[in-house]
């Protein structure tokens, strides 16, 4: 399926939920929320995630690239 992300999310859904509560900025919350939505299976593609978050798919792809490279 085109657009399905192959990002391996190491954190559990519970860990992501806790990280989400600790975020101080809107951007930080959006990035953790993106990981969380993928982890729980609510979205399957970058395009779906971009629509849910109200961001462009290129932006979401950059977030995942940074996550993959930096954690």
């Amino acid at each position: 399926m085109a657009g399905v992300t192959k990002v391996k999310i190491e954190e559990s859904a519970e860990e992501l939920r806790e990280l989400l509560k600790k975020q101080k900025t809107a951007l930080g919350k959006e990035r953790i929320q993106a990981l969380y939505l993928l982890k729980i299976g609510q979205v399957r593609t970058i395009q779906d995630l971009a629509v849910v978050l109200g961001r462009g798919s290129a932006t979401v792809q950059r977030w995942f690239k940074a996550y993959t490279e930096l954690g």
Side-chain angles (χ1 to χ4, degrees), residues 8-71:
K8 177 139 172 69
I9 302 170
E10 300 294 328
E11 296 83 4
S12 69
E14 182 61 35
E15 289 172 319
L16 290 170
R17 203 172 19 245
E18 290 302 316
L19 280 172
L20 190 57
K21 291 177 186 177
K22 294 177 183 178
Q23 295 303 304
K24 305 247 187 263
T25 65
L27 182 59
K29 287 179 183 178
E30 279 183 313
R31 290 178 176 188
I32 300 297
Q33 183 179 21
L35 292 170
Y36 179 73
L37 291 174
L38 277 174
K39 186 69 172 189
I40 65 170
Q42 188 163 344
V43 294
R44 295 195 53 202
T45 67
I46 296 290
Q47 185 63 36
D48 290 343
L49 189 54
V51 169
V52 169
L53 296 175
R55 294 288 189 151
S57 57
T59 299
V60 176
Q61 287 173 336
R62 270 195 316 273
W63 292 351
F64 287 125
K65 183 177 182 202
Y67 174 76
T68 301
E69 293 174 357
L70 305 172

